[in-house]
Amino acid sequence: KAGVTQTPRYLIKTRGQQVTLSCSPISGHRSVSWYQQTPGQGLQFLFEYFSETQRNKGNFPGRFSGRQFSNSRSEMNVSTLELGDSALYLCASSLAASISSYNEQFFGPGTRLTVL
Amino acid sequence: DQQVKQNSPSLSVQEGRISILNCDYTNSMFDYFLWYKKYPAEGPTFLISISSIKDKNEDGRFTVFLNKSAKHLSLHIVPSQPGDSAVYFCAASAYTGNQFYFGTGTSLTVIP
């Protein structure tokens, strides 16, 4: 079974630009979560989508948005990029059979975003 | 507000010895805990989990201990191997939510 894939793997943008990152979950997984990883901050939760609906949202500004398609693929968008947005963006998928079940998350390799 | 904390950014251990990685949490609603291992240029991979109804879970060389009263969990790796050198993240979740809260990670180096 193919793992979680993320594209692109590396991205360089300049301040003020916007960026879209893509995530394809493991086949059959309906939940997709996005995280930002920066040195010293660990993995900061951005949002989680389940069946095309955002179920949870972390404490990030509105410049960060996402969506999920009917095939469970997800995209994350960051508008008006700032230098501090430089980070590794990780996507994780899980089976999420029900809204309140424990689900192990499987992570993709991440997209390394550099904002100049 | 960091609800899951890993206070040791790094740890070095001799091959064959025990590695103990610690994690503290503040939210008493957390009842499911996981450990992930991350190599450079790869996403984290799931290692082991424990629910709050247990105080210990074992999987091969890896054992996780949970002390609910202290809001503390630890991961024991015995014996440690050079291939265990990676960054380890602990994560926590509450049953009523689907959000995982991660610690900042501990970089483990196992010296041959």
Side-chain angles (χ1 to χ4, degrees):
Chain A
K1 190 184 257 190
V4 178
T5 58
Q6 291 187 247
T7 56
R9 291 294 309 277
Y10 302 92
L11 205 49
I12 299 176
K13 292 285 188 179
T14 56
R15 278 184 301 173
Q17 287 187 309
Q18 75 162 21
V19 68
T20 299
L21 312 181
S22 180
C23 171
S24 292
I26 291 172
S27 177
H29 284 195
R30 299 164 65 189
S31 169
V32 174
S33 298
W34 288 90
Y35 295 86
Q36 180 195 66
Q37 185 191 2
T38 53
Q41 292 295 315
L43 277 70
Q44 302 290 312
F45 174 76
L46 281 153
F47 27 66
E48 187 246 354
Y49 286 88
F50 177 80
S51 292
E52 302 177 66
T53 300
Q54 186 182 91
R55 286 199 301 191
N56 287 290
K57 188 176 190 304
N59 191 25
F60 277 80
R63 300 186 296 108
F64 292 82
S65 63
R67 59 177 174 168
Q68 187 180 33
F69 302 95
S70 58
N71 62 357
S72 294
R73 191 178 71 83
S74 176
E75 287 183 347
M76 189 194 106
N77 185 275
V78 188
S79 62
T80 320
L81 283 165
E82 300 177 0
L83 295 178
D85 296 333
S86 294
L88 179 68
Y89 290 88
L90 290 160
C91 161
S93 76
S94 65
L95 198 55
S98 66
I99 194 166
S100 56
S101 59
Y102 293 122
N103 292 283
E104 174 189 326
Q105 292 190 324
F106 296 83
F107 283 84
T111 295
R112 172 71 63 184
L113 172 65
T114 302
V115 182
L116 302 175
Chain B
D1 178 29
Q2 197 73 29
Q3 298 190 51
V4 177
K5 298 177 185 177
Q6 293 176 258
N7 294 317
S8 298
S10 62
L11 175 68
S12 290
V13 170
Q14 287 289 134
E15 181 179 3
R17 306 294 291 270
I18 184 171
S19 294
I20 300 176
L21 295 92
N22 293 304
C23 180
D24 297 293
Y25 61 97
T26 58
N27 190 337
S28 57
M29 296 297 292
F30 289 154
D31 54 6
Y32 186 56
F33 306 89
L34 308 91
W35 284 93
Y36 282 85
K37 177 179 175 179
K38 185 180 186 300
Y39 293 117
E42 295 182 12
T45 54
F46 171 76
L47 200 54
I48 192 169
S49 64
I50 188 168
S51 73
S52 59
I53 60 172
K54 294 184 174 181
D55 53 19
K56 176 182 172 182
N57 190 27
E58 197 169 349
D59 183 3
R61 297 186 297 114
F62 302 90
T63 303
V64 56
F65 295 92
L66 176 62
N67 183 332
K68 291 185 288 294
S69 60
K71 294 192 180 68
H72 177 85
L73 63 155
S74 61
L75 174 69
H76 292 209
I77 306 174
V78 185
S80 300
Q81 299 174 353
D84 296 330
S85 297
V87 177
Y88 290 79
F89 291 97
C90 68
S93 177
Y95 185 71
T96 54
N98 283 278
Q99 179 176 342
F100 285 94
Y101 296 83
F102 282 79
T104 52
T106 296
S107 178
L108 172 66
T109 301
V110 180
I111 304 163

